[in-house]
């Protein structure tokens, strides 16, 4: 009888917890949040394909906002916890007349997300820009 009381109290607490809210709505909200995050995540079958996708996206953005630029991608770093990679890029260039905000906005609005790690703008020789970026890529599931 003595050992049964703690178990009965625990069962009562678990019953109260189970009845204390709309769990299905919480599950649905969590699923929607997960879908939102997954939509912002880079996916690729290999690090090389991910780097090519990033390079294509950055070339499109830089062509619109920079008069000239130099783009350098670092080798992909494995991230075993997510079975993926981290890819960093550095852009150096001269801004067109519309300034830095248009480029920052284009990067911020890009889907999947690109993280701006460091940004510096110099007024010497026009407006020159140095930008360090990064993305985290998860391995894309292969079709059966």
């Amino acid at each position: 009888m003595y050992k049964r009381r703690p178990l009965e109290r625990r069962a009562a607490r678990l019953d109260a917890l189970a009845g204390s809210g709309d769990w299905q709505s919480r599950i649905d909200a969590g699923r929607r949040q997960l879908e939102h995050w997954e939509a912002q995540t880079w996916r690729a079958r290999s690090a090389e394909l991910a780097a090519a996708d990033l390079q294509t996206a950055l070339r499109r953005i830089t062509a619109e906002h920079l008069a000239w630029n130099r783009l350098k991608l670092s080798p992909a770093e494995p991230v075993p916890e997510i079975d993926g990679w981290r890819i960093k890029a550095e852009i150096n260039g001269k801004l067109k007349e519309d300034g830095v905000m248009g480029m920052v906005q284009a990067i911020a609005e890009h889907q999947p997300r690109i993280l701006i790690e460091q940004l510096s703008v110099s007024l010497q020789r026009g407006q020159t820009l140095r930008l360090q970026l990064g993305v985290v890529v998860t391995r894309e599931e292969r079709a059966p």
Side-chain angles (χ1 to χ4, degrees):
M1 175 106 171
Y2 175 72
K3 291 184 178 184
R4 217 171 91 193
R5 281 191 180 158
L7 293 175
E8 288 173 346
R9 283 194 303 265
R10 185 172 183 185
R13 283 195 314 264
L14 291 173
D15 284 341
L17 180 62
S20 69
D22 182 10
W23 289 100
Q24 190 58 46
S25 67
R26 291 180 184 183
I27 291 168
D28 292 342
R31 284 187 179 135
R32 284 190 301 274
Q33 184 65 46
L34 179 61
E35 288 170 4
H36 176 72
W37 287 337
E38 286 178 342
Q40 296 179 18
T41 302
W42 287 77
R43 296 185 184 286
R45 289 194 176 149
S46 70
E48 294 78 15
L49 290 173
D53 289 346
L54 177 60
Q55 183 176 13
T56 300
L58 293 177
R59 287 204 188 279
R60 187 175 60 249
I61 292 170
T62 57
E64 183 178 342
H65 298 282
L66 297 176
W68 59 263
N69 72 80
R70 187 188 71 185
L71 171 63
K72 179 183 172 189
L73 292 178
S74 299
E77 303 167 16
V79 182
E81 295 83 4
I82 62 167
D83 190 26
W85 311 274
R86 177 167 176 74
I87 303 172
K88 294 182 180 182
E90 183 176 322
I91 298 171
N92 292 292
K94 182 177 185 220
L95 289 160
K96 290 183 179 177
E97 292 182 20
D98 57 347
V100 71
M101 289 310 294
M103 184 168 180
V104 170
Q105 184 173 355
I107 293 169
E109 292 174 350
H110 188 274
Q111 293 288 336
R113 294 293 186 195
I114 300 172
L115 175 66
I116 298 175
E117 296 179 359
Q118 188 175 39
L119 168 69
S120 60
V121 179
S122 172
L123 297 177
Q124 297 174 349
R125 293 176 271 140
Q127 282 191 324
T128 56
L129 166 93
R130 181 173 177 267
L131 188 59
Q132 293 179 340
L133 308 163
V135 296
V136 175
V137 184
T138 59
R139 188 177 303 275
E140 185 175 63
E141 298 293 323
R142 294 185 186 257

